[in-house]
Amino acid sequence: MIRKPLRPLASILRARAEGENPDDIAAENLRRRHEDMRDKSRKRAEGRLLMLGVAFMGLFLVVGAKMGALSASDPREPQAAAHGSQILAQRSDIVDRNGRILATNIETYSLYAHPRDMIDPTAAAMGLAEIFPELKTEELVEDFNGERAFLWIRRQISPEQMQAVHDLGEPGLLFGPREMRLYPNGNLAAHILGGASYGREAVASAEVIGVAGVEKRFDDFLRDPSNEGAPLQLSIDLTVQDASERVLQGGMMLMNAKGASSVLMDVHTGEIISMVSLPDFDPNDRPQVLTTGDQSDSPLFNRAVQGVYELGSVFKIFAVAQANELGLLNANTMINTQGPLQWGRFRIRDFHDYGRELTATDVIVKSSNIGTARIAMQIGGERQRDFLGELGLLEATPVEMAEASSGRPLLPPNWSEISTMTISYGHGISTSPVHLAAAYASVLNGGTRVEPTLLRRDAVQNGPRVVSEQTSAMARMMLREVVVRGTASFGEVPGYEVGGKTGTADKPREGGGGYYDDKVIATFASVFPANNPRYVLIVTLDEPVESSGDQPRRTAGWTAVPIAAEMIRRVAPLLGLRPEVESLAPTSVSLTSN
């Protein structure tokens, strides 16, 4: 900037010529310069004040907006910073075939501690021990006064417990939001669902993962965000499952059994409508796995899937059906039942002496071991093994459960001639009730293979044919005769034409060395209605004893059959089956006179 001189030469010369004082010119110019400087300073100051005012106004607006947002938000405890990848806690629901909730999620809170932020660790420990009785005051005091900066107290707490902890007023006790898995029906379908627990955890979220059952088998699906919360729909019917569990629980107690299981399956789709294993558990409070003893004694053990047993005479229908399919016999073929049947040092006997001969039908009706063994000898070991393989009885069941692979059938190391005979009546081979249900469904539905499933299916399984429709009809007729006049006479349910086969097998001793004389596995494998099959029902009891008479009775006809009959009586109406009422002969009135 060029400054104007205070004493310009032209102005000085002109002032001197006119007789004026040149110093007045310098003073006037100095005054004007000062006025200009004053005006510029004022404008600069006014601009700065304006900018400062705008800045303060903006800050006040930001603070006001933040205070408004905080006042409208939910109050939350401060959270520790979480590191690593984001934890996705949302998990899809599990529903039954009618859309009723079996497993869902609820919002809850976890409780953790920052001991270094605590005011009175001892008082906090005492307060927590009162709220959570399982916590020990001495251990909490030791942890709170240690060197740890972070400590989990409870992975999940109830709203009442949260309020009680909040009332302690301890700033070092903090809450973290998370989801927990909830099973609103408690023990119902516990073994099917399995249960869930926490995987990766942070203070603000936790990963819910399946640990057993369908929760573990479909863990990826249930956790997949791309499903957009679509539920996993199972084949079971919640109402039928509840009725089955109630009947089986009562029957197990009445028959003094150690355990029990049942499987109800659609013979055409393979859908499992109900599956029960007792004793059971509450998946909301899943017990710990046994570390000692027999795992089958644990309530976590699924007897319907993991339990493989010698199921006894329920296998006899397979031998007769295969022999009929091979053209070796028909329903009226006479079978030699004279015994005992000697093979080397082994003797095969019947429960009663049935005489020299029985028809093939009566071999099933009276449950002749000797007659079935002779039929198996005609079939041969190789063909028998192939047929049982076609029924799925030689490999792990494909049912959609994490435990299915552990229920692999136990087969003889050498499929000898004696194995062929004993396997024909259910000894020397161990399978699960689910295996048996699928095999019965395959033989009795018209002769096509079905595989068990826990997922809802609306279409019939078009599996490979295992027997002809004629053989299937003959097998159903024989099973119906077992209920009408055979070993399952207590299985009659008016209106539903039940057919079935009993099986009573001695339990092998632990560690080998023969069989118990007073411990059995009692099974009743049934189909209803027998004239138009819709469902198969397998009921199995572990070590039952019916003690109403003078002598204890352990056979399936006295133990498993009455329970199955009551179960059918309860669930058939729930399945939409209308009873077939036999029409009565019309009454006639005779007109008489005297």
Side-chain angles (χ1 to χ4, degrees):
M1 182 181 67
I2 299 177
R3 299 181 65 179
K4 184 178 181 179
L6 296 177
R7 299 173 64 89
L9 181 59
S11 299
I12 295 298
L13 292 177
R14 187 171 58 250
R16 288 178 178 177
E18 294 178 357
E20 296 178 355
N21 187 0
D23 293 336
D24 293 341
I25 296 175
E28 178 65 20
N29 286 338
L30 182 61
R31 184 186 64 78
R32 290 179 179 176
R33 178 181 292 180
H34 287 168
E35 288 180 353
D36 290 341
M37 291 175 62
R38 182 191 63 195
D39 293 341
K40 290 180 179 179
S41 297
R42 181 185 294 112
K43 290 180 179 180
R44 187 182 299 113
E46 289 175 351
R48 289 176 178 174
L49 288 172
L50 179 62
M51 292 179 61
L52 189 61
V54 171
F56 271 106
M57 181 61 70
L59 289 174
F60 276 116
L61 289 175
V62 171
V63 172
K66 184 64 176 177
M67 292 177 65
L70 289 175
S71 65
S73 64
D74 295 330
R76 292 184 182 274
E77 293 284 347
Q79 304 294 334
H83 301 282
S85 58
Q86 181 183 7
I87 297 177
L88 299 176
Q90 183 64 40
R91 190 174 180 87
S92 296
D93 291 343
I94 301 177
V95 299
D96 81 337
R97 65 186 300 107
N98 298 310
R100 289 170 289 199
I101 293 292
L102 298 174
T104 187
N105 310 304
I106 62 169
E107 292 185 358
T108 184
Y109 286 88
S110 62
L111 174 62
Y112 59 97
H114 286 170
R116 296 174 184 175
D117 297 334
M118 286 186 171
I119 298 174
D120 190 347
T122 302
M126 295 175 63
L128 290 175
E130 292 182 2
I131 299 170
F132 307 105
E134 72 276 10
L135 300 180
K136 305 299 182 184
T137 303
E138 297 78 10
E139 295 178 1
L140 290 173
V141 171
E142 182 179 354
D143 290 335
F144 291 163
N145 290 287
E147 298 181 355
R148 299 177 64 179
F150 176 89
L151 183 68
W152 280 114
I153 306 298
R154 286 285 295 269
R155 258 61 176 184
Q156 58 193 40
I157 58 176
S158 67
E160 294 79 10
Q161 292 170 332
M162 180 180 178
Q163 183 61 49
V165 174
H166 186 79
D167 291 342
L168 295 178
E170 176 57 66
L173 297 176
L174 304 173
F175 306 102
R178 62 173 53 191
E179 285 187 344
M180 66 171 286
R181 200 63 162 167
L182 177 68
Y183 303 93
N185 304 296
N187 292 34
L188 196 62
H191 288 92
I192 296 174
L193 298 172
S197 184
Y198 291 116
R200 293 183 300 155
E201 291 183 283
V203 294
S205 61
E207 181 182 52
V208 181
I209 60 173
V211 297
V214 296
E215 286 275 25
K216 184 174 182 179
R217 172 63 176 79
F218 293 101
D219 189 57
D220 292 339
F221 173 86
L222 294 169
R223 295 166 56 193
D224 190 352
S226 65
N227 293 328
E228 300 180 349
L232 174 67
Q233 188 169 36
L234 302 184
S235 60
I236 68 169
D237 186 308
L238 188 63
T239 305
V240 175
Q241 179 76 19
D242 179 63
S244 300
E245 290 194 13
R246 290 176 183 272
V247 172
L248 191 62
Q249 179 69 50
M252 185 181 79
M253 296 175 62
L254 188 65
M255 299 301 172
N256 307 295
K258 174 183 176 182
S261 67
S262 70
V263 180
L264 178 65
M265 179 186 296
D266 188 307
V267 299
H268 300 294
T269 65
E271 294 173 296
I272 295 176
I273 310 301
S274 76
M275 181 167 66
V276 186
S277 176
L278 296 176
D280 58 8
F281 61 95
D282 186 351
N284 293 299
D285 187 20
R286 185 178 169 87
Q288 296 295 320
V289 177
L290 290 181
T291 57
T292 59
D294 189 352
Q295 289 297 320
S296 65
D297 292 333
S298 169
L300 298 176
F301 186 74
N302 188 340
R303 295 173 179 271
V305 175
Q306 294 174 280
V308 289
Y309 312 100
E310 292 185 354
L311 295 175
S313 297
V314 291
F315 265 61
K316 291 175 180 175
I317 194 65
F318 302 141
V320 174
Q322 184 182 12
N324 179 259
E325 192 70 10
L326 294 173
L328 301 177
L329 57 75
N330 58 40
N332 298 314
T333 300
M334 301 304 296
I335 307 297
N336 181 2
T337 56
Q338 188 173 6
L341 177 59
Q342 187 81 30
W343 192 94
R345 61 186 179 90
F346 299 100
R347 285 188 175 186
I348 298 175
R349 295 182 173 87
D350 282 333
F351 192 71
H352 297 292
D353 182 4
Y354 299 123
R356 297 178 60 85
E357 289 183 325
L358 290 175
T359 64
T361 299
D362 283 341
V363 166
I364 297 297
V365 170
K366 298 183 181 297
S367 197
S368 171
N369 295 337
I370 297 173
T372 310
R374 293 191 189 279
I375 293 172
M377 292 173 65
Q378 296 181 58
I379 295 172
E382 185 175 351
R383 291 194 297 190
Q384 180 193 55
R385 182 167 186 158
D386 291 342
F387 182 68
L388 296 180
E390 292 175 3
L391 296 178
L393 293 171
L394 306 183
E395 58 190 14
T397 174
V399 69
E400 302 90 347
M401 295 188 69
E403 299 83 359
S405 60
S406 64
R408 185 174 294 277
L410 302 180
L411 310 177
N414 178 25
W415 205 290
S416 61
E417 186 174 4
I418 185 61
S419 295
T420 300
M421 289 188 283
T422 60
I423 287 173
S424 70
Y425 54 86
H427 286 72
I429 183 173
S430 298
T431 60
S432 72
V434 168
H435 280 99
L436 186 64
Y440 261 62
S442 299
V443 171
L444 303 175
N445 67 0
T448 58
R449 169 79 181 274
V450 295
E451 294 185 346
T453 180
L454 280 167
L455 299 180
R456 178 170 180 177
R457 291 178 176 172
D458 295 325
V460 174
Q461 287 192 40
N462 294 315
R465 181 162 293 282
V466 291
V467 296
S468 66
E469 292 186 4
Q470 293 76 14
T471 298
S472 179
M474 182 200 72
R476 295 197 301 270
M477 178 273 296
M478 290 180 174
L479 296 180
R480 175 59 182 159
E481 288 296 307
V482 173
V483 174
V484 172
R485 59 184 180 89
T487 58
S489 58
F490 289 152
E492 186 69 89
V493 181
Y496 292 106
E497 197 168 314
V498 178
K501 183 70 188 77
T502 56
T504 306
D506 294 332
K507 290 186 67 173
R509 297 181 184 274
E510 290 83 357
Y515 293 82
Y516 287 106
D517 295 329
D518 57 351
K519 295 181 180 181
V520 302
I521 297 291
T523 304
F524 182 49
S526 58
V527 58
F528 64 98
N531 60 347
N532 182 23
R534 292 284 305 279
Y535 301 97
V536 293
L537 173 64
I538 310 297
V539 172
T540 300
L541 300 178
D542 188 356
E543 301 182 16
V545 179
E546 199 282 320
S547 55
S548 63
D550 296 334
Q551 298 293 328
R553 291 174 286 211
R554 298 180 175 88
T555 59
W558 284 96
T559 57
V561 172
I563 297 174
E566 180 61 25
M567 195 175 294
I568 293 172
R569 189 177 293 108
R570 295 276 190 93
V571 304
L574 300 176
L575 295 168
L577 296 179
R578 300 181 62 180
E580 296 181 1
V581 180
E582 296 181 2
S583 59
L584 299 176
T587 57
S588 59
V589 178
S590 298
L591 179 62
T592 62
S593 61
N594 55 16

